[in-house]
Amino acid sequence: MANLTAPEFTEAISLLAGHFGLGRLRDRMAAMKAFTTRRGLNSPEALADRVFRLSGGLRLQSTPTFAFTALWGEMLTAKLGEEGEKKLEGLAEKVNECLTEQEKLVEGKEAEIDVALTAYREALTEGTGAEIARLDMLLKAVPDVAVRLRGTPAD
C-alpha cells in the first residue's frame, strides 16, 4: 500500500476532526490507546503530528495505525452507506484487473486503469467529497497506482 505524506496525513486528520469534532476524535483515539496523554493535542495539526510519528506514517502495525484506520473506515461508512460501499467494490475490481499479482501495473493497461480510477473517484466523491475521496484512494493504492493518483489534481 502507498503511504500518505505528512501533509496528506494532516489533511486526513483534519477531515476526521471535521467529521467527528476535534475533541471527540482525540478522545476516541485516546480510548483506543493510540496515545497515552491528550496533553498538547488541541489542534488537528498537533494530533496529526503525534499520530503520524507514533504510527510511523501508518507503516507500523501499531495501535495508532489501527485507531486511525478504524476511525477513517467509520467515517467512510457513515458517508457512503451500504449501497455506496457495494458500488465501490465493483469499481475496485476493475482497477485490480489492471494489476499483476505483484501489484504492478499491467503493461498496455494504462488507459484502462485511468478509466477505472476515474469511475472509482467519481463514485467516491459523490458520497464523500473530493478531498476525502483523494486521500482514501491514496490510502488504499498500491505504489504504482499512487503515482498515477498524485499526478491527477483533486477536483
Side-chain angles (χ1 to χ4, degrees):
M1 294 295 132
N3 297 309
L4 295 181
T5 63
E8 289 168 340
F9 189 77
T10 299
E11 186 178 350
I13 291 290
S14 295
L15 291 167
L16 281 172
H19 177 76
F20 290 107
L22 178 61
R24 186 167 177 234
L25 175 62
R26 181 187 57 229
D27 292 346
R28 293 211 41 211
M29 291 189 107
M32 297 169 106
K33 307 287 188 222
F35 39 80
T36 55
T37 180
R38 296 177 183 135
R39 190 175 319 138
L41 300 179
N42 300 321
S43 70
E45 294 79 14
L47 182 58
D49 181 58
R50 181 164 310 162
V51 175
F52 190 79
R53 283 185 292 114
L54 292 172
S55 69
L58 300 179
R59 288 184 294 275
L60 301 175
Q61 289 189 13
S62 63
T63 307
T65 300
F66 300 140
F68 172 83
T69 303
L71 293 170
W72 185 263
E74 185 178 320
M75 178 183 69
L76 285 179
T77 299
K79 290 184 176 290
L80 291 171
E82 194 172 319
E83 279 299 312
E85 287 183 3
K86 286 181 183 177
K87 182 178 179 181
L88 288 176
E89 286 176 18
L91 294 170
E93 284 301 316
K94 294 182 188 291
V95 172
N96 291 335
E97 289 171 3
C98 300
L99 301 172
T100 66
E101 286 189 25
Q102 295 76 33
E103 299 181 336
K104 299 286 183 190
L105 183 59
V106 174
E107 281 190 47
K109 291 209 174 195
E110 292 84 1
E112 193 175 322
I113 198 166
D114 287 340
V115 168
L117 288 170
T118 298
Y120 188 91
R121 179 185 302 111
E122 287 172 358
L124 190 54
T125 298
E126 184 179 300
T128 65
E131 289 306 308
I132 291 173
R134 182 179 64 80
L135 292 170
D136 188 60
M137 289 178 73
L138 285 171
L139 281 165
K140 295 174 180 171
V142 297
D144 280 2
V145 173
V147 168
R148 296 184 88 74
L149 293 173
R150 285 189 173 111
T152 304
D155 294 335

